[in-house]
Amino acid sequence: MTDVIATYYFRPREGVTPEWAAQAIAEEQTTGTWTDISTRQTYVHYLDGVVGEIRPMGGGYTCTIRYPAEIFEPGNIPQYLSVLAGNLFGLSRIAAVRLMDVEFSRDIVPFKGPKFGIEGVRKLAGTVDRPHVGTIIKPKVGLNPKDTAAVAYEAAIGGVDLIKDDETLTDQTFCPLGERLPLIMEQLDRVKSETGRNVLYAVNISTAGDKIVQRAREAARMGANMLMIDVIVCGFDAVRAVAQEPGINLPIHVHRTMHAAITRNPEHGIAMRPICRLVRMLGGDQLHTGTVSGKMEHDVTELRGDNLALTEPFFDLKPTFPVASGGLHPGGVHKEVSMLGRDIILQAGGGIHGHPDGTRAGATAMRQAVDAAVAGISPATYAEDHPELKRALDKWGIA
Ligand code: CAP
Ligand code: MG
């Protein structure tokens, strides 16, 4: 069996050597504890974590730890996380630790990955090589089902490829999922008959662990063409459970609300990279990874690497579509495309529904910005004969 290699950044407290700190992590996460124990039989040692080369980085160090494949229970994601990212974060003699990346071995990836992947989602939406444009219905909560569907129609007819619920909208009484979903799908059918375009709607099925698969089944029965899961708050295994459910053949859009509590501190927590690898292996077809021009904190180098983790060869698993979202507007599109490429979903909530001429014009402006970026034309030049884009740039400027 092939071992799993995790890379950590860590900063020992004063007086603690990096060698001691790295060994303490390896032991805590595998066969040891804080002191010698008489019960660690010699036959147990094949499960020891092995510390690799320790290198200085920033104010601390990085090292790899090799975890024997046998320490993992195949398919048990909570158990994997407990080994790779468990108690180590609280060790008092280590001031900070961050799980930077994980090289999973095939032996512990008994998952099929995305059912659709980038190509499959493109096939559904009828696109070839351009970035997808998505929108989050805003306000994020409060609209009733009828008004939500009306906004969806406007966005779809204006040109978006994808509409999604916001992360806090699930099945509240002001907008029950069972009413909202059929009304939105009806509007998207209308758009299809008027334009021939198949627009996707990611309905947020996030809920309790013992209910999410049932909710996914109901959404599929009601005609959903995409499902959405808030992965951090639902748990990674929610994605696996829905993706592996026989009879549900829908792409899964994965939102990461709450991730910044874990990923944002560059010294402590879990970087986005391992989260990308997990979501891809568990069957997420689309995953939020951030923008280069938007409202959320980002590190461009990390972001590009995260998107690569979603798309580079990974056993035989399909690539996951990276999603750039958060404060995006037409004036930021060229920057996103030049930094992140064309295999990207560019989502705008405020950047579409805040357009001076409304949602439809906002959606059109985003599509025009994408067309300009793909054609290598500057947004300002393209806006000269594209009034929707012009109005957006006048309001928000060019990033
Ligand atoms: C975007 C968004 C997303 C964020 C999350 C929001 O809306 O719907 O949740 O993108 O960030 O509510 O902020 P706007 P990330 O377009 O109106 O900003 O994708 O980085 O996890
Ligand atoms: Mg949101």
Side-chain angles (χ1 to χ4, degrees):
M1 289 179 83
T2 316
D3 297 342
V4 173
I5 296 168
T7 304
Y8 299 94
Y9 165 87
F10 63 99
R11 179 163 53 81
R13 291 246 190 251
E14 237 180 87
V16 176
T17 66
E19 290 74 20
W20 186 94
Q23 189 58 31
I25 294 172
E27 294 199 11
E28 178 65 33
Q29 297 311 114
T30 61
T31 58
T33 185
W34 59 276
T35 185
D36 293 347
I37 43 173
S38 59
T39 46
R40 194 154 69 154
Q41 307 284 358
T42 42
Y43 70 78
V44 164
H45 285 291
Y46 78 107
L47 293 178
D48 288 350
V50 178
V51 175
E53 195 187 340
I54 299 172
R55 297 189 179 134
M57 187 184 117
Y61 303 87
T62 61
C63 76
T64 57
I65 294 180
R66 176 181 288 274
Y67 293 106
E70 292 83 356
I71 203 168
F72 299 99
E73 178 194 341
N76 186 340
I77 290 295
Q79 190 269 343
Y80 292 9
L81 287 170
S82 211
V83 173
L84 299 166
N87 285 355
L88 58 97
F89 297 115
L91 293 172
S92 62
R93 297 184 73 194
I94 305 174
V97 196
R98 191 175 195 226
L99 173 62
M100 312 277 291
D101 202 355
V102 183
E103 212 179 292
F104 288 100
S105 76
R106 194 44 162 150
D107 296 305
I108 71 154
V109 184
F111 311 105
K112 295 203 168 73
K115 280 204 193 82
F116 292 79
I118 296 179
E119 229 175 275
V121 171
R122 282 195 179 284
K123 208 175 265 176
L124 292 175
T127 64
V128 183
D129 179 36
R130 65 163 173 81
H132 278 193
V133 171
T135 193
I136 313 98
I137 305 268
K138 300 282 173 175
K140 65 201 300 165
V141 288
L143 293 181
N144 63 33
K146 190 166 144 282
D147 289 340
T148 305
V151 174
Y153 175 79
E154 287 298 303
I157 201 81
V160 301
D161 307 291
L162 163 74
I163 288 158
K164 65 173 275 291
D165 287 333
D166 223 326
E167 66 282 352
T168 59
L169 180 66
T170 52
D171 188 26
Q172 295 97 318
T173 51
F174 56 79
C175 196
L177 190 152
E179 288 177 36
R180 167 174 98 243
L181 173 58
L183 288 178
I184 291 180
M185 296 317 293
E186 206 177 290
Q187 293 307 314
L188 298 188
D189 285 347
R190 198 175 137 208
V191 170
K192 185 160 193 187
S193 67
E194 288 167 4
T195 66
R197 292 175 47 246
N198 190 34
V199 177
L200 298 163
Y201 165 49
V203 59
N204 189 6
I205 59 163
S206 298
T207 186
D210 60 345
K211 294 193 177 72
I212 196 162
V213 170
Q214 182 58 24
R215 193 167 281 193
R217 277 201 220 105
E218 282 163 18
R221 185 179 48 75
M222 284 187 278
N225 61 10
M226 186 178 272
L227 303 171
M228 166 172 154
I229 299 175
D230 294 328
V231 66
I232 306 293
V233 291
C234 288
F236 289 94
D237 207 53
V239 176
R240 183 205 55 77
V242 172
Q244 286 190 354
E245 178 64 12
I248 297 179
N249 192 30
L250 295 173
I252 301 174
H253 178 100
V254 181
H255 193 287
R256 55 177 185 164
T257 183
M258 201 203 259
H259 80 91
I262 304 165
T263 61
R264 188 170 180 175
N265 186 332
E267 280 206 308
H268 191 79
I270 304 174
M272 194 58 204
R273 195 79 39 94
I275 295 175
C276 290
R277 299 199 193 283
L278 282 165
V279 167
R280 182 177 178 187
M281 73 165 78
L282 296 174
D285 293 279
Q286 308 189 157
L287 171 67
H288 288 235
T289 51
T291 69
V292 293
S293 70
K295 72 182 181 188
M296 306 298 228
E297 178 109 334
H298 62 269
D299 174 300
V300 180
T301 312
E302 279 202 15
L303 169 56
R304 292 171 68 146
D306 297 341
N307 288 356
L308 202 60
L310 294 181
T311 53
E312 70 192 354
F314 181 40
F315 307 125
D316 56 350
L317 307 191
K318 295 188 175 90
T320 296
F321 225 146
V323 178
S325 190
L328 212 58
H329 58 74
V333 165
H334 69 290
K335 201 168 178 181
E336 300 297 327
V337 177
S338 69
M339 302 293 286
L340 306 177
R342 295 183 184 193
D343 275 334
I344 188 87
I345 301 171
L346 301 173
Q347 279 181 186
I352 281 184
H353 310 293
H355 189 283
D357 301 316
T359 294
R360 186 187 301 214
T364 304
M366 275 295 286
R367 278 294 306 275
Q368 290 168 346
V370 164
D371 292 344
V374 168
I377 302 170
S378 80
T381 305
Y382 207 74
E384 285 168 13
D385 52 359
H386 292 87
E388 292 87 356
L389 179 58
K390 168 103 181 49
R391 294 271 284 163
L393 299 186
D394 287 348
K395 177 166 179 176
W396 292 304
I398 297 176

